[in-house]
Amino acid sequence: MKKAFYFLCALAFVFLGCANAERVKDNAVSGEQSVISYEDSDEVFFNPDIGFYCAVEVPVGKSQNYNVNFPNHSKFFNVKNPFYDLDAKTNEAKFKLVHLKIDISRYSDSNKFDSSNEYKSNGSIQGNPDAFTSEKLADLKNILSDLRTYDETAIVRFCYDAGYDGHGQDGTQIEPTDFKKILDHIKVICPALKDYTDVITAIECGLIGPWGEMNSTPYTKAMSANEYNKYASTYGLNKITSSTSVECGYIIILMKAYLDELWNNGVNVPLLVRQPKFLSLFLEACPSLSPSEKNMLGIFNDGYLGTDSDTGTFSNFETRVQQDIPFMADSTNHTPYGGEICDSTSKTPLWEDKLDYAVEEMSTVHLSFLNIGWNYNVLNWSDKDDHTWSYEYKKNNQNLIRTMNKSNKVSAYGNKKLFQVLLRYMGYRYLITQSNLSYYEESKKLEVELEIQNKGFANMPYHRSKNLTAYLVSSSGNKTKIPVNGENFTGQSSLSFNFALPADLENGDYTVYIKFANKDGHYPVQFANKNIWNTELSANKVGVFTKSE
């Protein structure tokens, strides 16, 4: 028995040795590898879906040859005498985000127009809600297609405010008088967007109120329970039996109609609403939402930092800090959050009173985007070397001077000026902190393992997933493009993948670049490391390996 045992053990060792020999054959070859810089370049660059946006008005139904030259963002600046030289301050980079303010005022019977189709409060031609059809959105589709061509992304908002001029601030209705017509318009809007989910960063629910900011309109008042319950069955809402009215009832129905139409048309993009209260009430009213539908919901904030309550976005500073920001953080963790930074001449703005807290909150609530054109006085102050800025304004028919002289330096970011912090850290900013390359001689594969840190305020939006493409660049400059095997990049902190080398690849030194982009190559993502970005390839350097056989 002992002899048999020793024989079996010896046989086992032979088999193990053979198996080990086979494994050793495909061990990684220790070719000469250069380590990329793991240092943040501190450069300003723009990636898809994040950063400052430029606003573009799209008047639907108005005769206009809408020719937009998207690469030249200077024509979109809605600022008076732009306060900084874009090319000089951003290393000639271009913004990658546009805000499309889509004016559908001509399809509300509350609005009137003259014979030239211009808005006039006493005009003779009334807007027609029934005339809003899919054909009216042909120009919008062309704009979205152009944006894709130039690797630009868009935040989209529809609104009945003619020219986005703030009509209805006094409570005068600017939306269709029949609420159902707005719901019908949503059914026209959503199918028109289904082929552009790669372009659309988010849809702001908007529609009602001046500028589409969902306030100062009869449709933000309480809705009678009887009227609300007429829609409850259609939209899967809880019926109200314990009250005679429903707070934000119209808004809840608008949100559900929008969400349903987006979902049914395969437009899986974030849907943002103006106040966290709207989102909270909506979730209470819709207990049967699927996790995927809940995932689509987020916030936009066009009163950002204007006061300690963000000009009414929150009830007060205490509820902001203790309730609203923690509540919002769950949704803004995966949906874009931002809007317009504001000033106030009656109250102390939060950016002026508590700047360090405001920037800390940007990270907590995952700030992704802001309007480069509003508020231009605040942005002016935020980038002044002497942090002093003054402007004239009128109050009670008096000309007054508003002076900003608080420090614009942010201590947590090395005393950078606020504007410079925003340029760099709004949205995501990915940094490779470790890169390992292993070449397997037997299988002719190169394996790449990356550790990645996000230094930005926000994450990549949930609906983005980047395919990986490898480029090998020889010492003589020859480029070889290779598909990658492995998971897509969605912002994870660890990423490993491999790719097979061409059989005819010559021996030599190769620099390895990885392009993180959509399947069609659009919307590449640049990482923050020093000296790794290849503009020609739109790819990031991950290392160097030597092939020698």
Side-chain angles (χ1 to χ4, degrees):
M1 286 295 293
K2 284 184 180 180
K3 286 184 180 180
F5 175 75
Y6 291 141
F7 173 75
L8 289 172
C9 285
L11 192 61
F13 280 127
V14 169
F15 281 117
L16 285 172
C18 292
N20 192 54
E22 287 298 315
R23 184 181 63 81
V24 169
K25 279 185 183 179
D26 207 23
N27 273 356
V29 176
S30 298
E32 183 180 346
Q33 297 185 17
S34 67
V35 178
I36 64 170
S37 171
Y38 299 134
E39 180 182 353
D40 191 319
S41 66
D42 198 42
E43 290 179 3
V44 172
F45 54 88
F46 298 104
N47 274 321
D49 300 305
I50 62 172
F52 281 108
Y53 69 70
C54 300
V56 180
E57 292 180 14
V58 184
V60 179
K62 181 180 180 181
S63 298
Q64 180 171 336
N65 181 17
Y66 215 80
N67 183 22
V68 179
N69 180 16
F70 285 104
N72 179 13
H73 280 85
S74 61
K75 80 176 290 181
F76 298 141
F77 277 51
N78 55 347
V79 297
K80 300 173 182 176
N81 301 318
F83 53 88
Y84 70 94
D85 184 333
L86 177 64
D87 289 342
K89 292 237 175 176
T90 59
N91 302 322
E92 298 184 351
K94 302 295 182 185
F95 294 120
K96 288 293 182 184
L97 189 60
V98 170
H99 192 292
L100 297 180
K101 303 191 298 183
I102 303 166
D103 173 359
I104 54 173
S105 59
R106 288 160 184 79
Y107 307 102
S108 169
D109 56 347
S110 295
N111 297 324
K112 294 183 179 179
F113 303 85
D114 62 18
S115 57
S116 300
N117 207 11
E118 296 292 339
Y119 175 83
K120 296 289 182 184
S121 58
N122 58 351
S124 58
I125 302 174
Q126 189 175 35
N128 182 6
D130 295 325
F132 187 60
T133 61
S134 59
E135 289 76 18
K136 304 296 183 183
L137 297 177
D139 285 344
L140 172 61
K141 292 180 181 181
N142 289 335
I143 290 172
L144 290 169
S145 181
D146 285 345
L147 284 170
R148 179 188 288 133
T149 299
Y150 296 118
D151 282 334
E152 308 278 344
T153 47
I155 297 166
V156 175
R157 184 194 302 179
F158 291 82
C159 158
Y160 298 100
D161 179 6
Y164 275 72
D165 283 338
H167 300 293
Q169 293 181 72
D170 59 358
T172 302
Q173 186 161 347
I174 59 174
E175 309 84 7
T177 52
D178 182 353
F179 180 66
K180 187 177 180 299
K181 296 297 182 182
I182 304 178
L183 306 181
D184 290 341
H185 291 172
I186 291 173
K187 293 179 180 179
V188 175
I189 290 168
C190 293
L193 303 179
K194 66 181 179 180
D195 293 330
Y196 305 97
T197 56
D198 59 327
V199 183
I200 298 171
T201 298
I203 296 172
E204 294 175 341
C205 186
L207 287 172
I208 60 175
W211 304 288
E213 291 189 21
M214 309 178 78
N215 59 41
S216 307
T217 164
Y219 290 136
T220 56
K221 295 178 180 178
M223 188 180 193
S224 76
N226 287 337
E227 187 178 3
Y228 180 87
N229 287 337
K230 292 177 184 177
Y231 294 96
S233 297
T234 301
Y235 291 105
L237 304 170
N238 285 338
K239 285 196 172 185
I240 304 300
T241 58
S242 59
S243 176
T244 58
S245 63
V246 183
E247 183 182 11
C248 300
Y250 293 104
I251 290 176
I252 291 170
I253 294 168
L254 277 180
M255 290 176 63
K256 190 59 165 61
Y258 229 143
L259 190 64
D260 285 354
E261 288 301 316
L262 290 172
W263 187 259
N264 292 338
N265 283 280
V267 188
N268 187 5
V269 300
L271 177 65
L272 313 182
V273 294
R274 179 61 185 84
Q275 293 181 25
K277 179 177 77 171
F278 299 162
L279 182 54
S280 177
L281 291 172
F282 179 75
L283 293 174
E284 290 177 13
C286 306
S288 60
L289 284 181
S290 70
S292 296
E293 288 173 307
K294 288 181 182 178
N295 208 44
M296 295 171 66
L297 300 170
I299 311 284
F300 72 95
N301 185 349
D302 281 359
Y304 193 53
L305 306 184
T307 63
D308 62 7
S309 67
D310 281 8
T311 59
T313 301
F314 314 110
S315 298
N316 53 56
F317 186 69
E318 183 179 356
T319 59
R320 174 196 192 118
V321 173
Q322 296 182 1
Q323 298 176 26
D324 294 319
I325 296 302
F327 168 74
M328 290 169 57
D330 283 341
S331 60
T332 57
N333 184 51
H334 56 273
T335 60
Y337 170 71
E340 294 179 337
I341 197 167
C342 291
D343 189 25
S344 174
T345 55
S346 58
K347 297 181 179 180
T348 304
L350 190 65
W351 54 261
E352 190 173 28
D353 187 37
K354 299 180 178 68
L355 179 60
D356 283 337
Y357 167 77
V359 175
E360 179 185 352
E361 184 188 272
M362 291 174 187
S363 180
T364 303
V365 80
H366 313 296
L367 181 68
S368 287
F369 61 87
L370 285 173
N371 185 354
I372 189 60
W374 190 264
N375 178 290
Y376 41 81
N377 288 306
V378 178
L379 295 176
N380 237 320
W381 161 83
S382 72
D383 200 35
K384 293 287 284 185
D385 289 333
D386 62 0
H387 59 259
T388 300
W389 180 256
S390 297
Y391 66 93
E392 190 175 289
Y393 69 99
K394 276 195 172 184
K395 187 175 183 179
N396 299 326
N397 293 321
Q398 287 185 308
N399 290 329
L400 301 173
I401 299 294
R402 162 85 161 108
T403 300
M404 308 170 182
N405 54 18
K406 289 289 184 72
S407 173
N408 58 15
K409 304 291 174 52
V410 183
S411 59
Y413 288 84
N415 283 324
K416 273 188 171 67
K417 292 177 292 185
L418 174 61
F419 187 74
Q420 298 302 319
V421 172
L422 292 172
L423 277 175
R424 288 163 175 79
Y425 297 104
M426 271 196 295
Y428 54 85
R429 184 182 181 93
Y430 294 114
L431 180 76
I432 298 172
T433 58
Q434 186 66 41
S435 177
N436 295 316
L437 274 61
S438 302
Y439 171 50
Y440 291 89
E441 191 176 67
E442 181 70 17
S443 59
K444 300 292 189 296
K445 285 185 178 180
L446 190 69
E447 183 176 71
V448 181
E449 296 175 302
L450 302 178
E451 296 297 318
I452 300 167
Q453 178 187 3
N454 183 6
K455 299 186 70 178
F457 294 148
N459 298 310
M460 191 181 293
Y462 77 87
H463 62 313
R464 299 309 190 208
S465 180
K466 300 299 177 181
N467 284 69
L468 278 58
T469 303
Y471 291 89
L472 303 184
V473 181
S474 70
S475 55
S476 61
N478 293 326
K479 302 174 183 66
T480 304
K481 180 180 177 181
I482 307 173
V484 167
N485 301 312
E487 60 184 325
N488 283 6
F489 179 64
T490 57
Q492 59 268 52
S493 58
S494 296
L495 187 66
S496 61
F497 50 90
N498 64 72
F499 50 91
L501 302 182
D504 58 352
L505 189 71
E506 296 180 356
N507 290 343
D509 295 332
Y510 291 89
T511 303
V512 183
Y513 292 91
I514 302 296
K515 182 175 182 178
F516 299 80
N518 288 9
K519 204 170 188 178
D520 59 6
H522 281 293
Y523 303 113
V525 171
Q526 180 175 349
F527 282 59
N529 301 65
K530 184 180 287 187
N531 299 325
I532 70 165
W533 181 247
N534 185 307
T535 304
E536 180 186 354
L537 301 175
S538 296
N540 301 276
K541 177 181 175 182
V542 297
V544 172
F545 86 100
T546 300
K547 181 177 182 288
S548 57
E549 297 178 18

